[in-house]
Amino acid sequence: MKKLKVGVICYPSLGGSGVVATELGIMMANKGHEMHFITSSMPFRFLNAHPNMQFHEVTIEGYSVFKYPPYDIALANRIAQVIESEGLDLLHVHYAMPHAVSAALGKDMAGSDIGVITTLHGTDVTILGYDPALRNTVRYGINKSTIVTAVSESLKQDTINLIDPNKEIRVIYNFIDEETYVPRDAGTLRSDLGILEDEKVIIHISNFRDVKNIPDIVKSFHEITKTLDAKLLLVGEGPEKENIIKLVDELNLQDKVIFTGKRNDMSELLAISDVMFHLSSKEAFGLVLLEALACGVPSIATNVGGIPEVIEDGVNGFIVPYGNIDAAVEKGLLLLEDEELYAKFKRNGFITVKEKFHSSGIVDQYEELYYEVAGK
């Protein structure tokens, strides 16, 4: 079949959507498709040397007439330029706002009838969708798309309930790079971080926003340390970090909680971890949960959003009610102290990744969509 030229619009950050968009681009490039990333900076994990991947930077000029630089307009302009200069067959945008809106405008500017696939990742619906001032804009971006996908059944339902679009929404799950996220030897990382041989390790990875509910993780960990020796790895940065540090100090956990900052050795960090805690109040999918399962780390996670579509309660981890610290502590101790149960969850986690979320099957689903949209 014809190899396609695909324009990709995403956030070039370490967030889940940017990672998935880039990994998908890499795998599509490996299949021979030309992938053109139109973003404000080079995406994380972008393979600059790959002959089938190109980066088109969105530059924003500052003008005194604007209080804030108009990124969405600059993006639309760059999309129009790349549609024309590269002869794109379709656009794949990640997030309805602003990316799908900018794609619609860029198409018009280029006088093109190019098809647009919009993938919803969560924030554009579960946060912006609650804002009456933005809901219509999100709906506009979705309705202007040719095909819309969501990363979980939960997000699909939230979109229908909150946004009420006139487009069908198809569910295509997230995936991970199975070559990166595997059980591995982490070398001296454990001792480098000051973790003793007999200590259990609980890990949390996020962007430290309020929605991640990290205080409940710290409080749960505090209770767990009353029963067994453990360390808590908090991996990431974000606006809630200072509040978390304050709570750690109040609970006198300074010697037991390790703030690693942003890291690019996630699989090694997971290799030295026993359990992941992920107690979010909202989560469209929870990519880190899938990464953890692939590395042999079960999770204690909340019953919100798409999390139960990744973590099956009592099979590859435990699901607890949001805000219920006692339940999180109970399940965490059960998993950390029962070696037979732990081994079972670990095996089941590998099965979940292979059978439900393997990249090959999910990339094939996207490729079918690409040909469907390019043929319209």
Side-chain angles (χ1 to χ4, degrees), residues 130-169:
Y130 280 99
D131 187 339
L134 297 175
R135 189 178 300 133
N136 286 342
T137 310
V138 175
R139 184 184 298 116
Y140 172 85
I142 291 173
N143 288 344
K144 280 290 186 178
S145 305
T146 311
I147 288 178
V148 180
T149 70
V151 297
S152 66
E153 289 286 350
S154 170
L155 180 58
K156 172 183 175 178
Q157 231 15 79
D158 283 345
T159 305
I160 292 170
N161 295 339
L162 285 170
I163 308 299
D164 189 27
N166 62 19
K167 287 284 179 180
E168 174 195 2
I169 299 172

Side-chain angles (χ1 to χ4, degrees), residues 211-258:
V211 71
K212 300 300 180 181
N213 191 30
I214 300 174
D216 274 14
I217 294 172
V218 174
K219 292 172 186 175
S220 299
F221 173 73
H222 181 231
E223 294 301 314
I224 286 172
T225 59
K226 295 176 181 179
T227 300
L228 50 78
D229 293 329
K231 286 282 192 350
L232 173 62
L233 295 181
L234 294 178
V235 184
E237 296 283 349
E240 289 298 304
K241 184 174 181 179
E242 290 306 315
N243 290 333
I244 300 163
I245 291 173
K246 183 178 177 182
L247 177 60
V248 168
D249 291 342
E250 289 173 357
L251 296 175
N252 199 28
L253 291 171
Q254 300 93 326
D255 295 334
K256 296 180 180 295
V257 177
I258 301 169

Side-chain angles (χ1 to χ4, degrees), residues 5 78 125 142 183 208 211 334 355:
K5 296 183 178 183
R78 194 72 174 112
V125 172
I142 291 173
F208 290 14
V211 71
L334 176 60
E355 295 187 352

Side-chain angles (χ1 to χ4, degrees), residues 173-221:
Y173 285 124
N174 282 335
F175 64 94
I176 56 170
D177 175 8
E178 290 92 357
E179 293 182 6
T180 298
Y181 291 97
V182 293
R184 62 177 72 243
D185 182 357
T188 62
L189 181 59
R190 186 181 179 96
S191 58
D192 292 345
L193 291 172
I195 301 169
L196 301 178
E197 189 175 337
D198 60 346
E199 288 181 310
K200 296 293 187 180
V201 178
I202 294 170
I203 190 170
H204 171 78
I205 303 170
S206 77
N207 51 17
F208 290 14
R209 292 183 295 140
D210 181 61
V211 71
K212 300 300 180 181
N213 191 30
I214 300 174
D216 274 14
I217 294 172
V218 174
K219 292 172 186 175
S220 299
F221 173 73

Side-chain angles (χ1 to χ4, degrees), residues 7 32 35 42 60 79 85 102-103 113 118 145 147 153 156 171 186 190 209 220 232 248 264 314 329 366 368 370:
M35 307 304 292
M42 187 149 320
I60 310 171
I79 289 170
S85 66
S102 294
D113 62 354
T118 294
S145 305
I147 288 178
E153 289 286 350
K156 172 183 175 178
V171 174
R190 186 181 179 96
R209 292 183 295 140
S220 299
L232 173 62
V248 168
N264 58 9
V329 172
Y366 274 118
E368 288 176 12
Y370 283 9

Side-chain angles (χ1 to χ4, degrees), residues 328-347:
V329 172
E330 177 192 348
K331 297 301 185 183
L333 285 171
L334 176 60
L335 198 47
L336 290 167
E337 294 181 318
D338 188 331
E339 292 184 7
E340 186 176 336
L341 179 67
Y342 186 89
K344 175 187 172 184
F345 279 23
K346 187 172 180 175
R347 289 193 303 271

